[in-house]
Amino acid sequence: MIIWEIAPRAGWVPHTFISPPSEVLSTVWELLLSGVLTKHIGVSLGRALFGFLLAVIIGVPLGFLLGGSFKLFERIVTPVLRLLGEVNPFALFPVFILLFGIGEVSKVAMIFWVCLWPILLNTVTGIKGVEPLLLKSARSMGVSGPALFTKVIFPAALPGIFHGIKMSSGVAFFMLIAAEMIGASSGLGWLVWNAQNNYQIPRLFAATVTISTLGLLLNFVFSKLERRLINWKENTPEY
């Protein structure tokens, strides 16, 4: 931070291209006071949350289906899903725009697409990783049906599921930033794109720092939530 502050002011790097941190933070504060930054943050988080929740609602049940007892269905569908999951989402930008236009639907669809695969595949992995001994022990004690799912299978698979959800939360936000640079009129991605086009370098850095900070906050929130929901996993002794 000290080098970053000194370098533009001392002329080591062009001040017109690199704004010092003090100037960036001042710009962030001005944008906050004016309400501009909070407006764009709200728009971006709303889009990301909608696409992310859709991916969770569809990905988790489908992951349980693929990781469950439908072996033939799993063998047919899983290779196709893994292939789709490897497709570079940036290469699909034109497809989403052609199908859904440049409005809100295309952006939410992009977020849904990139979030779905980590959630789905990690859910399948979590289900397959359930210790068979746990299932046999539960069945021997008379646990079956919905109780077996809620008491044994779901809790045991939860670490894998949550790993996919945490991965998707970060991917959703940063993918949205790229999507907002195409055909948007609001959001943090649009703010970066607009600042670049108008050569507002302090605002460009302010938006970038805001995006990075939000990414760290999202990761922190999900890490805390994971520790709270799966605290038993950390306390399980290893032999």
Side-chain angles (χ1 to χ4, degrees):
M1 291 289 288
I2 293 172
I3 294 173
W4 181 11
E5 180 70 33
I6 293 174
R9 299 188 183 280
W12 300 344
V13 294
H15 189 282
T16 52
F17 298 145
I18 307 292
S19 299
S22 58
E23 193 173 333
V24 172
L25 293 176
S26 175
T27 304
V28 170
W29 183 246
E30 290 173 6
L31 291 172
L32 283 172
L33 289 178
S34 65
V36 171
L37 193 57
T38 52
K39 170 195 168 186
H40 291 297
I41 290 174
V43 170
S44 291
L45 289 179
R47 290 167 176 161
L49 184 62
F50 191 36
F52 171 73
L53 289 178
L54 281 176
V56 172
I57 291 169
I58 293 175
V60 172
L62 184 58
F64 275 104
L65 185 64
L66 291 175
S69 57
F70 299 94
K71 299 299 182 184
L72 178 60
F73 180 69
E74 177 195 347
R75 285 198 299 269
I76 295 172
V77 175
T78 299
V80 178
L81 295 178
R82 290 191 178 276
L83 177 64
L84 292 173
E86 292 299 320
V87 176
N88 190 323
F90 292 99
L92 296 176
F93 267 15
V95 177
F96 282 108
I97 291 173
L98 286 172
L99 290 175
F100 305 111
I102 59 175
E104 296 298 314
V105 177
S106 62
K107 294 171 181 56
V108 172
M110 290 177 195
I111 301 306
F112 168 76
W113 177 270
V114 297
C115 290
L116 178 63
W117 310 113
I119 293 172
L120 173 61
L121 297 177
N122 278 280
T123 300
V124 172
T125 302
I127 293 296
K128 288 182 171 295
V130 175
E131 179 60 47
L133 183 60
L134 292 175
L135 299 175
K136 291 178 182 178
S137 300
R139 289 192 179 105
S140 69
M141 291 185 286
V143 181
S144 61
L148 182 66
F149 175 80
T150 57
K151 298 291 186 181
V152 180
I153 297 175
F154 183 74
L158 195 57
I161 296 169
F162 212 93
H163 179 66
I165 289 175
K166 189 164 68 169
M167 287 176 58
S168 293
S169 67
V171 172
F173 187 70
F174 289 110
M175 184 66 183
L176 175 67
I177 301 305
E180 287 178 339
M181 294 182 182
I182 304 174
S185 58
S186 60
L188 290 171
W190 177 86
L191 190 62
V192 171
W193 180 82
N194 182 261
Q196 173 194 341
N197 285 347
N198 292 287
Y199 205 70
Q200 298 171 319
I201 302 303
R203 179 174 285 213
L204 174 70
F205 274 90
T208 304
V209 167
T210 301
I211 292 167
S212 301
T213 304
L214 287 174
L216 289 172
L217 285 174
L218 282 173
N219 186 67
F220 174 77
V221 167
F222 274 92
S223 296
K224 294 287 285 185
L225 187 60
E226 182 180 25
R227 283 196 292 270
R228 181 175 292 273
L229 293 176
I230 322 175
N231 55 357
W232 55 267
K233 185 173 182 290
E234 296 179 350
N235 298 327
T236 301
E238 295 181 1
Y239 297 97

